[in-house]
C-alpha cells in the first residue's frame, strides 16, 4: 500500500517574504502565497544517515509544503548518493543509508504522486553535465566556497593553494559544488529550497548558469532562485556555534526524525543553554542555545520568532522551555517514526517509488543534455 502520510497536517501554502535580502534571487519560504505556475522546484539530500531536525526544518518540511500546495508546478527531489561518496564508507552502509533516506523522505510527508523522488546516481546525465560545467568553472570560484573547508576540517580562511590543504583535501570534496550546479541545471530548475548552509552554492549555480549562457550566446539555463526556509539554520544542541549535522561526532547535538520520545526528551534536556532563567529573548549572538530552541519552535509551529518569544512568557525556567520543545518535536515526529519503520520493512515499495522517479527524471535530463551537447558542439 502506498503510504500517504502526515502531508495533510501541514495545509499551509507558501509565500515569499521579499525585500529582506539584497539579492532578488534569494527569498524566504513562508506561508500563504504560491509559487509562479510552471515553476520547476529541485532539491536534494545526501544519504549520509537518518534525517535530523535541521534537514527536516531547513529542507524537507518546505519540500512537503511546496509540493502539496502548488499543483501547477513540478517538483524533483533527489537522494544525492554521488555527493555521499565524498566521504568513504563501506558499500553496505551506503546501501542502507540510501534506503533510510528515501524512507525518511516518504515518512516526512512527501507524496510520490506529487513529486519525482529518485537516486542521483540513477540519472547519469548529472555526471555528464557536471563535466561540461566543471570545464567553465574556475578553481578560484571553488576555492571561495566555505563548505568544503568545513567538511575537510580546514580553517575558513584556508586555500587549496596551500600545500598542506591540497594534500588533505579530496578532489571530489573540493569540486562537489560544481556537481551541485549540474544537479540543479540538468532539470533547468527555477527554484531551489535549501537551508542557509547551501546559499553560497546556489550563488555559484547562478554564476555558472549565466556564464554558460553568455559563453555560448544562448538563453538556455534559467537563473534559479534560492528559497530559504524561515528556520534557515538549526544549530547543534550541544554546540550552538555549529549547525546540526548528521556527521557531527557529538551525536547528542542532533535530534533525528526517528528518535524515540525518550531519546528526544533526553537530548533536549541536555541542550546547551545559558544561566539567564525565565527572560526569553531571541539573540543568536549572546544567547545562541536559547535562540536555537526558539528557532526550533518557530520552525515546528510556523510562527514568527517574535510571536514565539511572546508566547514563552509563562515559562519560568529552561527546564520548562526544554520540556515544551521536546513535546513539540515528539508530537511532530511520532507518526513519522512509525511510518519510517514500516517503510524500511517494505524495500520493494521503496524500490518501485525510486524506479518510477528515476525514469521520469531521466526523461527530462536526457532531453536537456541533448540540447546542451548541441549548444557546445558535441552532436
Ligand atoms: N542544521 C541545518 N539547519 C537547516 N538546514 C539544514 N540542512 C542540513 N543541515 C541543516 C539542509 O538539509 C538539506 C540536505 O542536506 P544534506 O544532507 O544534503 O547535506 P548537509 O547540509 O551536509 O547536511 P548534514 O546533516 O550536515 O550532512 P552531513 O553531516 O552528511 O554533511 C540541505 O538543503 C541543507 O541546507
Amino acid at each position: 500500500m502506498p503510504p500517504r502520510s502526515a502531508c495533510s497536517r501541514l495545509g499551509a501554502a507558501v509565500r515569499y517574504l521579499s525585500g529582506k535580502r539584497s539579492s532578488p534571487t534569494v527569498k524566504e519560504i513562508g506561508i500563504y502565497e504560491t509559487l509562479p505556475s510552471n515553476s520547476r522546484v529541485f532539491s536534494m539530500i545526501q544519504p549520509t544517515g537518518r534525517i535530523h531536525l535541521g534537514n527536516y526544518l531547513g529542507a524537507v518540511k518546505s519540500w512537503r509544503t511546496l509540493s502539496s500546495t502548488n499543483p501547477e508546478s513540478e517538483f524533483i527531489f533527489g537522494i544525492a548518493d554521488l555527493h555521499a561518496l565524498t566521504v568513504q564508507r563501506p558499500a553496505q552502509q551506503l546501501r542502507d543509508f540510501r534506503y533510510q533516506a528515501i524512507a525518511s523522505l516518504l515518512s516526512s510527508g512527501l507524496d510520490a504522486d506529487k513529486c519525482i523522488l529518485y537516486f542521483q546516481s540513477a540519472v547519469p546525465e548529472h555526471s555528464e553535465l557536471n563535466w561540461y560545467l566543471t570545464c567553465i568553472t574556475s578553481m578560484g570560484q571553488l576555492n571561495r566556497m566555505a563548505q568544503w573547508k568545513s567538511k575537510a576540517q580546514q580553517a575558513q580562511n584556508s586555500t587549496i593553494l596551500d600545500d598542506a590543504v591540497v594534500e588533505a583535501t579530496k578532489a571530489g570534496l573540493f569540486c562537489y559544488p560544481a556537481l551541485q550546479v549540474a544537479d540543479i541545471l540538468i532539470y533547468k530548475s527555477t527554484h531551489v529550497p535549501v537551508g542557509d548552509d547551501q546559499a553560497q552554492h546556489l550563488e555559484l549555480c547562478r554564476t555558472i548558469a549565466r556564464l554558460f549562457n553568455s559563453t555560448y550566446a544562448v538563453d538556455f539555463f534559467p537563473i534559479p532562485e534560492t528559497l530559504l526556509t524561515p528556520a534557515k539554520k538549526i544549530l547543534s544542541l550541544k554546540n550552538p556555534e555549529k549547525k546540526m549535522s548528521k556527521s557531527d561526532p557529538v551525536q547528542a547535538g542532533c535530534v533525528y526524525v526517528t528518535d524515540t520520545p525518550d531519546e528526544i526528551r533526553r537530548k533536549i534536556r541536555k541542550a546547551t543553554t545559558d544561566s539567564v532563567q525565565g527572560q526569553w529573548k531571541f539573540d543568536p549572538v549572546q544567547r545562541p542555545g536559547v535562540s536555537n530552541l526558539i528557532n526550533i519552535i518557530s520552525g515546528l509551529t510556523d510562527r514568527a520568532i517574535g510571536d514565539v518569544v511572546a508566547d514563552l512568557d509563562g515559562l519560568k525556567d529552561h527546564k520548562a522551555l526544554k520540556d515544551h520543545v521536546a513535546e513539540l518535536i515528539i508530537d511532530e515526529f511520532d507518526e513519522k517514526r512509525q511510518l519510517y519503520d514500516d517503510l524500511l520493512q517494505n524495500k520493494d515499495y521503496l524500490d518501485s517509488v525510486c524506479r518510477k522517479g528515476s525514469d521520469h527524471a531521466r526523461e527530462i535530463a536526457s532531453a536537456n543534455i541533448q540540447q546542451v551537447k548541441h549548444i557546445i558542439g558535441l552532436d
Side-chain angles (χ1 to χ4, degrees):
M1 178 200 65
R4 318 277 300 215
S5 64
C7 206
S8 54
R9 288 180 56 205
L10 235 223
V14 170
R15 110 178 122 114
Y16 295 141
L17 300 177
S18 53
K20 290 203 164 183
R21 292 180 169 261
S22 53
S23 167
T25 50
V26 178
K27 300 190 173 162
E28 289 184 16
I29 296 178
I31 47 173
Y32 304 130
E33 279 181 32
T34 51
L35 291 173
S37 55
N38 300 321
S39 299
R40 182 172 280 161
V41 181
F42 173 86
S43 200
M44 286 193 144
I45 188 159
Q46 292 188 71
T48 44
R50 296 163 296 156
I51 287 185
H52 56 68
L53 189 61
N55 300 136
Y56 180 72
L57 294 179
V60 181
K61 185 180 172 196
S62 69
W63 300 359
R64 181 184 70 202
T65 308
L66 285 162
S67 57
S68 60
T69 54
N70 289 278
E72 314 245 297
S73 293
E74 191 167 20
F75 295 86
I76 306 175
F77 299 126
I79 311 289
D81 48 5
L82 295 179
H83 288 285
L85 298 177
T86 55
V87 175
Q88 284 69 54
R89 55 176 54 81
Q92 191 52 44
Q93 188 184 57
L94 181 57
R95 282 186 201 105
D96 293 343
F97 278 177
R98 289 166 94 238
Y99 277 119
Q100 288 174 18
I102 184 74
S104 297
L105 291 185
L106 289 167
S107 61
S108 296
L110 287 186
D111 182 341
D113 292 333
K114 292 187 177 144
C115 53
I116 295 175
L117 293 174
Y118 75 108
F119 290 115
Q120 178 190 25
S121 61
V123 180
E125 288 79 4
H126 284 250
S127 305
E128 187 173 353
L129 184 61
N130 174 38
W131 177 246
Y132 305 152
L133 298 180
T134 299
C135 289
I136 60 168
T137 304
S138 76
M139 296 284 283
Q141 284 167 319
L142 295 173
N143 196 30
R144 284 189 286 279
M145 298 295 115
Q147 284 266 316
W148 70 264
K149 294 174 194 168
S150 327
K151 295 197 173 191
Q153 287 166 358
Q154 301 297 329
Q156 280 307 315
N157 62 358
S158 65
T159 159
I160 200 70
L161 300 176
D162 185 307
D163 281 352
V165 176
V166 80
E167 282 304 326
T169 307
K170 297 271 194 291
L173 192 55
F174 183 67
C175 297
Y176 90 93
L179 176 57
Q180 230 176 8
V181 173
D183 299 332
I184 295 164
L185 296 184
I186 191 65
Y187 300 108
K188 300 178 81 172
S189 312
T190 57
H191 296 80
V192 186
V194 285
D196 204 29
D197 56 323
Q198 295 298 329
Q200 193 189 27
H201 292 170
L202 264 292
E203 270 314 324
L204 177 70
C205 181
R206 286 188 279 278
T207 304
I208 302 299
R210 286 193 193 96
L211 183 60
F212 179 94
N213 288 346
S214 65
T215 301
Y216 294 101
V218 288
D219 186 17
F220 183 69
F221 288 126
I223 309 303
E225 289 185 13
T226 307
L227 298 177
L228 283 181
T229 52
K232 297 179 205 81
K233 195 190 261 184
I234 303 299
L235 303 171
S236 159
L237 298 173
K238 295 306 283 178
N239 179 1
E241 308 291 320
K242 282 172 45 179
K243 74 165 189 157
M244 189 176 282
S245 188
K246 301 182 209 92
S247 54
D248 190 337
V250 186
Q251 284 291 294
C254 202
V255 173
Y256 292 99
V257 177
T258 52
D259 280 346
T260 62
D262 279 351
E263 283 167 326
I264 294 171
R265 284 192 195 99
R266 198 169 46 245
K267 287 179 181 177
I268 297 293
R269 213 172 293 142
K270 292 191 169 163
T272 302
T273 46
D274 51 42
S275 55
V276 187
Q277 297 284 352
Q279 295 163 37
W280 308 118
K281 193 169 170 205
F282 185 74
D283 182 349
V285 177
Q286 301 296 330
R287 306 190 63 189
V290 165
S291 302
N292 193 32
L293 295 178
I294 292 172
N295 194 28
I296 290 171
I297 300 175
S298 164
L300 288 169
T301 58
D302 292 321
R303 286 169 64 72
I305 294 282
D307 295 342
V308 170
V309 174
D311 284 352
L312 296 181
D313 247 2
L315 300 182
K316 69 176 182 356
D317 56 19
H318 288 151
K319 181 178 178 309
L321 173 67
K322 288 176 175 179
D323 287 348
H324 176 53
V325 175
E327 293 316 309
L328 281 176
I329 299 174
I330 290 166
D331 193 42
E332 183 81 15
F333 287 171
D334 208 26
E335 254 179 50
K336 296 178 179 59
R337 191 185 67 253
Q338 291 165 30
L339 183 54
Y340 173 87
D341 291 340
D342 291 348
L343 283 165
L344 270 188
Q345 300 304 315
N346 195 348
K347 298 219 166 92
D348 288 347
Y349 172 69
L350 298 179
D351 285 338
S352 74
V353 167
C354 291
R355 213 168 20 248
K356 184 177 129 212
S358 306
D359 288 348
H360 195 165
R362 229 185 145 187
E363 232 171 78
I364 304 168
S366 64
N368 288 341
I369 206 82
Q370 287 317 315
Q371 291 187 57
V372 170
K373 287 174 83 166
H374 175 67
I375 290 168
I376 64 181
L378 282 178
D379 53 348

